[in-house]
Amino acid sequence: MILHDITREKMIERMKTEFVSLSAHQLRTPLSAIKWTLRMLLDGDLGEITKEQKEYIGKTYESNERMIDLINDLLNVTRIEEGRYLYEPTLTDFQAIVQFVINSFKEEIKKKRIKFEFKKTEEKLPEVKVDVEKMRLAVQNLLNNAISYTPSGGEVTISLKYDKDKIEVAVKDTGIGIPQDQQERVFSKFFRATNAIRKETKGTGLGLYIAKNIIEAHGGKIWFESKEDKGSTFYFTLPVEKRFEEFLKRL
Ligand code: ADP
C-alpha cells in the first residue's frame, strides 16, 4: 500500500480558489462604476455625443459587459468549488422559467434572424421545486450557446417533455457543432472547442460547467448530442416530486 500525503496540494488548491474569488470581488466594483458612467454617456446624460463617439462608447460598453459576465462566472465557479453555491428551492412553474429566459433573448434572436421555436407540452407541467435564479442561469447558458454558435438564419428549438416523474428539456440548434474528438471535455472548466475559437466567438468556457452543477444539484442529468457543422442538442432532466395533493386526487 502506498500512502501519499496531499495536504499541501489541497491547501494550494484552496488558496488558488480563494485568490480567484477575492480578485473577482475586487474587480466587480470598478467594473460597475465604468458601466454606469458609459451608460450615462450613451444616454446623453452628460451632454450630446456624436454618432462616431456613440459607436466607440457602445463597443466599450459591450466589452465591459463581457468582463462583468466573466467575473460573475468566475465567482459562481469559486462558490461551487468552495461548496458555497447554496440552493433556495421553491415550488415553481418551470415553463415560466424557460419563457423568462427566452424573452431575454428576443432581441438577439431577431438580430441574428434565427428561426426560433418553443415547443411546450400539451398538458400543463406540474410545479417543480427549484432555485429559480439558478435554474434560469442554467437555461440561459444553454440557450445562449445555441444562439451564439448558430450562424445567422439558423434554427433553434427548445422543447419540453413531461414523462411520469421527470421533465426533459431539449435545446436544439443547427450551428457549428462540437468536434467529436473534443466532446468528452465539454463540461470541464474553461473548455472551448477549436472550431468555436477559430470562428472568434465570444465565451469563457464556464457556462456549461456551471449549468451542469446547477442541474445535478437539483437531482437532474445533463447530456448532449452534436455533429460538427450540423448542430447540437443539449438535454437535461429535472425530477418532479409527486405532490401529496395530486396523489389524493387520483384516489
Ligand atoms: P462558452 O460558450 O462561454 O465558451 P460553455 O461552457 O458554455 O462556454 O461552452 C463550452 C464550449 O462548448 C464552447 O466554447 C463551445 O466550443 C462548445 N459549445 C457549447 N455549446 C455549443 C453549441 N450549442 N454549439 C456548438 N458548440 C457549443
Side-chain angles (χ1 to χ4, degrees), residues 205-221:
L206 295 173
L208 287 176
Y209 173 81
I210 294 169
K212 184 176 157 74
N213 265 283
I214 295 174
I215 301 298
E216 289 179 353
H218 282 87
K221 284 201 182 81

Side-chain angles (χ1 to χ4, degrees), residues 9-24:
E9 275 96 329
K10 281 255 179 236
M11 191 184 73
I12 292 174
E13 202 52 49
R14 209 180 51 238
M15 282 169 74
K16 270 201 274 184
T17 310
E18 270 172 27
F19 172 74
V20 174
S21 171
L22 261 164
S23 337

Side-chain angles (χ1 to χ4, degrees), residues 56-96:
Y56 279 105
I57 299 171
K59 281 196 182 128
T60 316
Y61 183 85
E62 271 171 34
S63 301
N64 191 61
E65 284 286 86
R66 284 224 306 282
M67 265 197 279
I68 293 174
D69 286 347
L70 169 62
I71 296 295
N72 285 335
D73 276 354
L74 281 173
L75 281 173
N76 282 332
V77 168
T78 55
R79 283 182 196 125
I80 288 169
E81 291 186 341
E82 290 173 350
R84 289 187 293 115
Y85 207 50
L86 305 175
Y87 289 84
E88 286 171 31
T90 47
L91 216 49
T92 333
D93 172 8
F94 183 72
Q95 194 173 296

Side-chain angles (χ1 to χ4, degrees), residues 141 145-146 149 173 176-178 186 191-193 195-196 202-209 232 234:
N141 287 349
N145 284 348
Y149 299 116
D173 67 57
I176 62 171
I178 301 161
V186 160
F191 168 77
R192 301 210 68 216
N195 60 339
K202 298 158 194 153
T204 60
L206 295 173
L208 287 176
Y209 173 81
S232 320
F234 278 80

Side-chain angles (χ1 to χ4, degrees), residues 85-133:
Y85 207 50
L86 305 175
Y87 289 84
E88 286 171 31
T90 47
L91 216 49
T92 333
D93 172 8
F94 183 72
Q95 194 173 296
I97 294 184
V98 180
Q99 191 65 60
F100 178 91
V101 177
I102 293 172
N103 291 347
S104 69
F105 280 100
K106 281 237 159 89
E107 236 174 81
E108 196 65 26
I109 290 171
K110 214 164 122 195
K111 212 161 72 187
K112 281 191 89 173
R113 288 178 291 106
I114 300 268
K115 290 181 209 84
F116 179 79
E117 200 183 342
F118 180 20
K119 290 187 183 160
K120 299 168 191 165
T121 48
E122 269 174 28
E123 57 174 321
K124 194 171 167 9
L125 289 179
E127 289 193 309
V128 280
K129 218 167 178 201
V130 295
D131 181 312
V132 176
E133 284 297 315

